[in-house]
Amino acid sequence: MGQFFGTELQPLDLFGPAHLVASGILALVGFWLIRAGMAADERGRRRLRIGIIATTVLFRITKHAWKASVGLWAVETDLGLHLCSAMSLITAYGLWTRRRWTLHLMYFFGVAGAVQAVLTRTRRSAFGTSRSSRRWRPTRSSSWRGSGR
């Protein structure tokens, strides 16, 4: 479990057990979200969108609260002005308002960001750790949200 939770720095083990488990879970969740959205009527899709909005906002809040509680929060890295943080907020806005331009942004940056986050090495933490999952969670879920109807 040390590969998934903790604050210690670990090198990335590309296609190692933690990488494959996390990738498999992401694939299953993505598949489930797409199937649920396709099978639902408009009311069901609205509930799904609201659930995704709530999850996105909750993840943003808990990320900052956890980092502050363990002394890792820093203005330089956590202010929320980088692409992943900005896109998580744009995604919540886009799902709420259903504006076309936000759906295009979610899909474009979500796919590019998710692929980059999964396949690119990071010196700060290995893929699959809680630190890395907080980094790529907004981008991978933005692509799922932006591809919906």
Side-chain angles (χ1 to χ4, degrees):
M1 290 307 262
Q3 293 177 319
F4 294 101
F5 302 102
T7 59
E8 69 279 349
L9 301 178
Q10 299 177 1
L12 173 69
D13 184 14
L14 189 62
F15 300 112
H19 184 226
L20 293 176
V21 167
S23 296
I25 291 170
L26 291 177
L28 289 173
V29 169
F31 178 76
W32 178 83
L33 282 173
I34 291 169
R35 294 292 298 172
M38 291 173 61
D41 59 355
E42 187 56 38
R43 186 174 177 201
R45 282 193 291 271
R46 183 176 189 283
R47 284 195 309 260
L48 191 60
R49 280 195 317 269
I50 290 171
I52 293 172
I53 292 168
T55 302
T56 300
V57 172
L58 181 69
F59 280 147
R60 301 305 312 158
I61 292 169
T62 57
K63 172 198 168 197
H64 291 288
W66 177 80
K67 287 188 86 170
S69 72
V70 296
L72 294 175
W73 198 92
V75 172
E76 298 84 15
T77 58
D78 296 311
L79 189 56
L81 300 178
H82 55 80
L83 186 59
C84 291
S85 291
M87 280 310 300
S88 68
L89 298 175
I90 290 172
T91 296
Y93 171 77
L95 287 173
W96 186 262
T97 63
R98 307 272 301 166
R99 302 223 178 189
R100 193 99 171 126
W101 67 270
T102 58
L103 296 177
H104 292 300
L105 278 177
M106 287 188 292
Y107 185 76
F108 177 73
F109 286 121
V111 169
V115 169
Q116 182 271 334
V118 169
L119 295 179
T120 305
R121 293 179 179 261
T122 178
R123 289 177 290 196
R124 292 175 46 176
S125 57
F127 179 83
T129 63
S130 63
R131 287 184 76 178
S132 71
S133 68
R134 286 186 305 278
R135 179 175 57 85
W136 48 258
R137 185 182 300 125
T139 54
R140 68 135 194 298
S141 54
S142 287
S143 62
W144 294 337
R145 296 172 209 147
S147 64
R149 291 185 243 175

